[in-house]
Amino acid sequence: MEKELLFGLLYLVYYGGLAGLTYYIIQKNSPDPLHMMQLEGYQPRDYQLWLKDNKAFNFALKISSSQNKTPLVWTDRAKRLHKRHLETILLVLVSLLVLSIFLYKYFFWLIFYPLCLGVFAFSQFHWIILAAKLNLPLENKINQGFYDTAKEKIRARKDLSVVGITGSFGKTSTKFMTATILEEAFKVQTTPSSFNTPMGLSKVINNDLTENKEVFVAELGAKEPGEIKEVADLVQPTIGVITAIGPTHMHLFKTIANIQKTKYELIEALPQDGVAIFNVDNAYVRELADGCDRKTIRYGMDLDQDLDVFADQIQVGALGSSFQLHLPGQDPVLCETILLGKHNISNLLAAACIAYSLGMTADQIAAGIRKVQPVEHRLQLIQGPSGVNVIDDAFNSNPVGARAALEVLGAFQDVKKIIITPGMVELGDIEEEENEKLGQEIAQVVDYCILVGEKRTQPIQRGLKGAGFPQDRLFVAQSLDEATQISAHLTGPGDVVLIENDLPDSYNEV
């Protein structure tokens, strides 16, 4: 009896010790899956897509907080999910331990039990999905409360003008340009950074939108049909802008038609006396403008189009741009800006349309345009301490934006031109084709090309080779830091380095 009790205690120590060790390992590494879930907007669907494309366990081993471009933020929601994740893990481990009480004498369980725990530890990135789904009813209830409070606050502000801006690209830049220009005549509240989700917008409305603000400029984002409607119902815009439509988030939208339908939800949310503003240089946006039943303002630079607001006499240089701005019923006015690239003139035209619809004059708008500063990581020209010019276009990349960035780089003369890029992502089925085209276009502009990531950049490498780019001027780095070190050996004072896209933490090549 004593011998049996002794063996029982030894088995208990064995099984309990292994379970405790497993929990310790998982608990220690638990911020990694939480971080990835946060980067994917706490959406189990998006997180599962990330898991499908990444070897999560190996990735977890190489993550460190000092390497993350976007570190984990311990918000209340993150703390709740982390707690639920650990509770879920503990429940499974306790269940296995209880099972061991009935199977402890069996030899197969002595071997199978540690194997179960090993597989369980390796699959920790998957268990947070269950935790997120278990937490979903609570999170939805909390979010709905914030959403309803913000919506009611906007509804009560009859004196507030609300501008909604959406598009596949250009919306964040246009938002900040608009705010700067409107500040010539109004007290303006805008959303920081790329806040464009229901919760991000609710936070700004509830915490920052004060009674003295006259205009609220909101960026509206979406990854699937119905999401623009949700944020438009929240902010209740009277002016809506569609900056551009193109192949972004194609892995989720699948078709351009779905993107058009989703972006047009903003226009459908406008009141009948609202103002719909369209960039008709973009063919997909032009289709939407042609079918709009609200008051429309059509803007662009293609003078063959029917335009209400347009730019001509455009001069684009390495250090800025100028153009003549035309508004209905007003004399043309010369506008000068330090912003780089013709596409930024398009964004300025969108901002000018908004200002015009709110009653500002051409002179006021031109004065505001002169004050507009580059948006961080969006064709931002920075001069390094060694005299090297860096064009920071690292925030995101798409086919139109990448070509615009190459156009800006090409404007620099008599200096070495270098690009650092990992290529474009989230383009769905056309991603490889577009990156190969990008390689061909890079070959026509740069002296040296530094690619980040061996596997992901294969299409760009094919494009470069097909365009006859010298292979001794092509470098492949494993990280942005390594790429920067390579460029430092190639550049001198006055040379130009374009950083085109910087993939988020959720992309890797493990």
Side-chain angles (χ1 to χ4, degrees), residues 222-241:
K223 292 184 178 180
E224 62 180 31
E227 290 187 343
I228 292 291
K229 182 182 185 306
E230 183 180 10
V231 284
D233 287 346
L234 169 64
V235 302
Q236 304 156 63
T238 52
I239 299 170
V241 185

Side-chain angles (χ1 to χ4, degrees), residues 83-394:
K83 182 173 180 287
R84 178 72 71 160
H85 183 206
L86 293 181
E87 288 173 348
T88 304
I89 296 295
L90 191 59
L91 178 62
V92 175
L93 287 175
V94 169
S95 299
L96 286 172
L97 196 55
V98 169
L99 186 61
S100 299
I101 294 174
F102 299 97
L103 299 175
Y104 76 94
K105 289 184 178 180
Y106 294 95
F107 180 76
F108 87 92
W109 189 244
L110 285 170
I111 305 300
F112 188 66
Y113 179 75
L115 288 176
C116 284
L117 294 181
V119 171
F120 185 62
F122 285 140
S123 63
Q124 63 165 312
F125 269 73
H126 295 267
W127 286 97
I128 198 170
I129 298 172
L130 175 60
K133 290 180 177 178
L134 290 172
N135 262 16
L136 198 56
L138 172 62
E139 297 301 336
N140 286 343
K141 184 177 180 180
I142 293 172
N143 291 345
Q144 191 64 47
F146 291 137
Y147 181 95
D148 291 341
T149 300
K151 187 175 181 178
E152 185 54 40
K153 185 175 181 178
I154 292 286
R155 183 180 288 118
R157 288 290 309 275
K158 304 299 183 184
D159 59 330
L160 182 70
S161 296
V162 180
V163 179
I165 301 173
T166 193
S168 298
F169 38 87
K171 54 185 177 291
T172 303
S173 296
T174 299
K175 174 183 66 177
F176 288 121
M177 293 174 190
T178 299
T180 300
I181 294 169
L182 292 183
E183 282 167 356
E184 293 294 304
F186 303 100
K187 292 182 174 65
V188 182
Q189 177 66 55
T190 188
T191 51
S193 186
S194 296
F195 275 46
N196 57 28
T197 63
M199 286 308 97
L201 288 165
S202 294
K203 181 178 179 180
V204 172
I205 294 167
N206 289 330
N207 298 342
D208 303 327
L209 183 61
T210 54
E211 290 293 327
N212 67 324
K213 297 299 171 61
E214 300 168 291
V215 183
F216 178 43
V217 183
E219 173 187 346
L220 311 185
K223 292 184 178 180
E224 62 180 31
E227 290 187 343
I228 292 291
K229 182 182 185 306
E230 183 180 10
V231 284
D233 287 346
L234 169 64
V235 302
Q236 304 156 63
T238 52
I239 299 170
V241 185
I242 301 181
T243 60
I245 288 175
T248 57
H249 299 304
M250 290 296 286
H251 63 307
L252 298 173
F253 279 114
K254 306 303 181 184
T255 68
I256 291 289
N258 284 338
I259 298 176
Q260 287 179 296
K261 178 182 178 182
T262 303
K263 301 305 179 187
Y264 198 71
E265 290 170 4
L266 168 58
I267 307 304
E268 293 173 328
L270 296 174
Q272 282 302 314
D273 60 349
V275 179
I277 299 172
F278 298 94
N279 172 19
V280 295
D281 283 347
N282 182 284
Y284 300 121
V285 177
R286 188 163 61 246
E287 288 178 17
L288 300 179
D290 291 341
C292 182
D293 62 353
R294 307 304 201 270
K295 176 185 176 182
T296 63
I297 298 178
R298 302 159 67 98
Y299 71 90
M301 293 175 283
D302 182 357
L303 301 184
D304 291 333
Q305 300 297 327
D306 179 19
L307 300 170
D308 300 302
V309 174
F310 62 93
D312 61 9
Q313 300 183 34
I314 297 169
Q315 300 291 326
V316 178
L319 300 177
S321 311
S322 67
F323 59 94
Q324 197 93 332
L325 173 64
H326 296 258
L327 299 174
Q330 301 189 39
D331 292 334
V333 60
L334 176 65
C335 296
E336 296 174 319
T337 177
I338 63 172
L339 300 182
L340 303 177
K342 195 172 180 180
H343 74 294
N344 266 326
I345 295 178
S346 178
N347 294 335
L348 286 169
L349 286 176
C353 290
I354 295 166
Y356 166 75
S357 68
L358 289 171
M360 290 179 64
T361 67
D363 287 336
Q364 286 176 310
I365 293 169
I369 287 174
R370 281 194 294 273
K371 297 176 182 177
V372 171
Q373 295 296 310
V375 179
E376 191 177 21
H377 305 310
R378 291 170 172 86
L379 281 181
Q380 181 184 15
L381 183 61
I382 304 167
Q383 189 172 62
S386 60
V388 176
N389 294 302
V390 177
I391 302 172
D392 182 353
D393 199 37

Side-chain angles (χ1 to χ4, degrees), residues 453-483:
E454 175 67 34
K455 291 187 291 185
R456 184 171 291 282
T457 61
Q458 287 295 324
I460 302 178
Q461 295 178 51
R462 289 197 299 270
L464 289 165
K465 187 174 182 180
F469 189 77
Q471 293 300 292
D472 61 342
R473 295 193 170 198
L474 169 64
F475 300 87
V476 180
Q478 294 308 309
S479 67
L480 180 60
D481 286 344
E482 183 184 340

